[in-house]
Amino acid sequence: MYLWSVKVGSDFAERIVRDMRAMSQQKKVYLRDAAPEEHTIVFYRGKLVEIQCPKQPPSRETKKSSPKSKASTRHTTTRGIPDAVKTDVEAIVQHFNTTVIRNPHCLYVPRYRGKFLYLDRQDYGRLSPICRLEYTGKMEDWSFAIYKYSDERYDEEEWFFHGAGHVDGTLEGAMKAGLEAYPA
């Protein structure tokens, strides 16, 4: 089961829906905006099977199969990422995209869920997960988890990958590690 958070009005929304349909051949895929008051689109076997409205109770079928959030075992100083930090993150990611990557067809795309910042990368139209950072209350001390395609999950215990040496608690270090682990 996959859970993606995106802004529906984004220019890459159509491509994401196409990817969700493809990914949903084997299991249910949930396409959800980061804001809790937004709708969730459920795909299964390549078809849109349900649109969940946050103002209405979920159907019996959805209750049985909806993704359960996993409580983190790490203690952080905040429950979510403050808006001011998100603004700084956007600026840092944009600067990295234009000064380090310098390819308009390859760029990092941040998304947020609670205390987590997910750094996905859009490479020539395809959006792929790269890493997850956990906000600890300091801009220079993010905890890091690489996305493992073999397990289809983020793993904070994995440190044996190309680029691991760049991980230093900063956003720039995480993005450099992601470029080396998953070259564009």
Side-chain angles (χ1 to χ4, degrees):
M1 191 174 328
Y2 293 87
L3 183 61
W4 285 71
S5 298
V6 297
K7 290 282 183 204
V8 177
S10 299
D11 60 339
F12 55 85
E14 184 177 282
R15 200 169 25 259
I16 289 175
V17 169
R18 195 175 330 116
D19 289 347
M20 295 296 107
R21 283 188 174 133
M23 291 168 38
S24 70
Q25 294 299 324
Q26 304 284 331
K27 48 189 146 189
K28 284 191 179 181
V29 177
Y30 297 81
L31 180 62
R32 177 180 304 167
D33 190 286
E37 69 276 0
E38 297 295 327
H39 290 78
T40 299
I41 302 170
V42 182
F43 293 93
Y44 186 56
R45 295 194 175 153
K47 297 185 190 298
L48 184 146
V49 294
E50 183 178 8
I51 297 177
Q52 300 172 354
C53 177
K55 295 179 181 172
Q56 296 194 356
S59 68
R60 188 181 322 165
E61 186 61 33
T62 304
K63 280 183 186 175
K64 286 191 256 179
S65 63
S66 62
K68 308 293 186 266
S69 62
K70 209 161 99 175
S72 176
T73 56
R74 298 171 60 112
H75 176 70
T76 59
T77 59
T78 183
R79 296 184 74 88
I81 300 173
D83 289 339
V85 172
K86 290 179 183 179
T87 301
D88 291 344
V89 166
E90 298 288 335
I92 292 167
V93 170
Q94 176 66 27
H95 183 262
F96 189 89
N97 286 337
T98 56
T99 61
V100 176
I101 297 178
R102 297 187 318 238
N103 179 348
H105 302 290
C106 175
L107 48 97
Y108 277 101
V109 179
R111 61 185 168 93
Y112 308 92
R113 184 168 178 89
K115 63 186 172 184
F116 295 110
L117 161 63
Y118 294 86
L119 290 174
D120 300 331
R121 206 170 58 231
Q122 186 172 347
D123 295 319
Y124 295 91
R126 183 177 176 89
L127 193 66
S128 304
I130 302 296
C131 63
R132 180 188 71 201
L133 303 176
E134 183 177 351
Y135 184 61
T136 63
K138 298 177 188 170
M139 277 299 286
E140 301 298 317
D141 189 30
W142 295 80
S143 66
F144 179 89
I146 191 77
Y147 185 80
K148 290 175 59 177
Y149 284 87
S150 58
D151 298 354
E152 296 181 339
R153 67 181 183 91
Y154 295 93
D155 189 347
E156 58 192 29
E157 306 284 324
E158 179 63 55
W159 287 101
F160 191 67
F161 63 91
H162 292 289
H166 293 291
V167 178
D168 60 0
T170 66
L171 296 175
E172 294 89 347
M175 290 186 283
K176 285 178 185 176
L179 277 176
E180 208 169 308
Y182 301 115

